[in-house]
Amino acid sequence: MGNGVRQCPVDFPEDVEPVTSAHLPAEDNQDKKNVLNSLMSGALAGAVAKTAVAPLDRTKIMFQVSSKRFSAKEAYRLIYRTYLNEGFWSLWRGNSATMVRVIPYAAIQFCAHEEYKQLLGSYYGFQGKALTPFPRFIAGSLAGTTAAMLTYPLDMVRARMAVTPKEMYSSIVHVFIRISREEGLKTLYRGFTPTILGVIPYAGLSFFTYETLKKVHADHSGRAQPSPAERLLFGACAGLIGQSASYPLDVVRRRMQTAGVLGHTYSSILLTMQEIVREEGLIRGLYKGLSMNWVKGPIAVGISFTTFDLTQILLRKLQHGAGAQR
């Protein structure tokens, strides 16, 4: 017996999307949250790490751009003289410019690294898994190059403020104005090529080493996440390897950046290297201050990677908790 209800096909309007696509806005929203988390975590990581080692960083730059021989004793004397003559907070001179640069730089670098890992993971078929060594290195190099290209003028300003007295540049804006007026806008990108050439091995090896050590740790310990102390150690190893590989180009970059205020003229990377080697020697010139970098670099990179990872974990927990309460 029939139920009295007439059955007939129902025509749906063609412009109605299938119900299966309803999950896409949620996925897009999650992607945006992940990008925002990476940006925030990277910004905090860069700020904390650079502030912690700012006095050592300023001292290293002052040796890099001069012809004085570097030694731990001379570095200590320079720090002490600066403290006596200009006060305690002068040891952080240029750190405001560093923050203006490093916050966007670190935010872009860490966020770009997460995105490049996903892209390369999809391309090589490792989606959701750890990348193999070569893509791991490429992801780090691309992340560092992207960040350096977008923030380079701020690095130039930071170097100028680090090696000049307060009277010469009163603020970050003043540095931009004077350089533009007296030396031309092109000067803001002086030293850009050695920077990029140095960033490729530095960022590539740093991220590669850190990610590799975390993977080896997970494979051997059975724990998915290392402890904060282990993260600091892995980051320190990453910084030591990355900065040692790219250090000569870092010296060349600083010389070219500060040439306008220190009375030098450096027209190219090779000529700058030749002049440094001729006047100061290969090791004492191109590797000047490297021993200080072996102290400063591992500390900074270790703090940076650890802060980024722990902040990411905290933000994800907060988002998960907020989502569960809804």
Side-chain angles (χ1 to χ4, degrees):
M1 292 178 63
N3 58 8
V5 178
R6 183 181 177 186
Q7 295 181 353
C8 62
V10 179
D11 293 326
F12 289 95
E14 292 183 358
D15 58 346
V16 176
E17 293 184 2
V19 177
T20 53
S21 67
H23 69 285
L24 290 177
E27 285 187 357
D28 291 342
N29 191 39
Q30 186 59 45
D31 288 342
K32 289 177 183 177
K33 285 182 180 179
N34 290 339
V35 170
L36 184 60
N37 284 355
S38 296
L39 288 171
M40 292 172 60
S41 302
L44 181 62
V48 172
K50 278 296 185 181
T51 300
V53 298
L56 294 175
D57 206 25
R58 181 176 188 246
T59 303
K60 182 201 74 173
I61 292 174
M62 293 178 76
F63 273 102
Q64 282 182 327
V65 301
S66 73
S67 57
K68 295 179 182 177
R69 284 187 59 183
F70 175 84
S71 68
K73 189 176 181 179
E74 285 300 316
Y76 170 77
R77 284 179 178 173
L78 178 57
I79 291 172
Y80 188 62
R81 280 199 304 269
T82 303
Y83 163 71
L84 290 178
N85 297 333
E86 303 178 40
F88 177 74
W89 293 113
S90 67
L91 296 174
W92 275 264
R93 174 164 168 74
N95 195 51
S96 57
T98 301
M99 291 300 100
V100 171
R101 170 195 170 257
V102 83
I103 288 175
Y105 180 91
I108 292 168
Q109 179 175 241
F110 278 106
C111 183
H113 183 246
E114 294 298 307
E115 296 302 309
Y116 284 130
K117 279 201 302 184
Q118 288 189 19
L119 287 172
L120 290 170
S122 299
Y123 181 78
Y124 285 101
F126 298 113
Q127 194 65 43
K129 300 178 183 178
L131 295 174
T132 52
F134 181 68
R136 207 176 297 157
F137 175 82
I138 294 298
S141 296
L142 289 173
T145 302
T146 301
M149 289 175 65
L150 294 175
T151 62
Y152 185 78
L154 295 170
D155 185 49
M156 172 73 168
V157 169
R158 179 256 187 280
R160 285 291 181 95
M161 291 190 74
V163 301
T164 54
K166 295 178 182 178
E167 298 75 24
M168 187 162 188
Y169 298 118
S170 59
S171 67
I172 298 169
V173 175
H174 189 210
V175 182
F176 275 108
I177 293 172
R178 281 197 63 173
I179 289 177
S180 302
R181 184 188 302 151
E182 298 174 8
E183 303 174 55
L185 287 172
K186 286 184 178 180
T187 304
L188 291 173
Y189 280 88
R190 182 179 291 161
F192 178 72
T193 302
T195 297
I196 295 300
L197 292 177
V199 158
I200 291 171
Y202 170 67
L205 287 171
S206 295
F207 279 105
F208 168 82
T209 303
Y210 185 69
E211 295 285 323
T212 299
L213 289 174
K214 284 204 302 182
K215 184 178 184 302
V216 171
H217 171 271
D219 291 343
H220 286 78
S221 69
R223 289 186 286 125
Q225 296 295 338
S227 67
E230 288 168 334
R231 291 179 193 276
L232 279 171
L233 180 61
F234 298 162
C237 292
L240 186 66
I241 293 171
Q243 293 192 348
S244 297
S246 62
Y247 196 79
L249 286 165
D250 190 44
V251 173
V252 171
R253 164 176 71 120
R254 293 304 186 194
R255 291 293 178 97
M256 295 180 76
Q257 285 177 334
T258 58
V261 293
L262 297 178
H264 293 283
T265 302
Y266 298 118
S267 57
S268 69
I269 297 172
L270 288 177
L271 290 176
T272 304
M273 282 187 167
Q274 287 174 1
E275 185 171 333
I276 293 171
V277 172
R278 184 173 62 251
E279 294 180 357
E280 303 166 48
L282 177 64
I283 303 299
R284 291 176 180 172
L286 291 179
Y287 289 90
K288 180 184 293 182
L290 178 59
S291 58
M292 177 175 284
N293 238 40
W294 283 343
V295 176
K296 177 193 76 71
I299 293 172
V301 178
I303 291 173
S304 181
F305 277 124
T306 303
T307 303
F308 176 79
D309 278 355
L310 296 181
T311 306
Q312 282 275 80
I313 292 169
L314 176 62
L315 290 174
R316 285 169 185 161
K317 284 183 178 178
L318 291 174
Q319 286 180 356
H320 182 72
Q325 291 175 0
R326 289 174 186 171

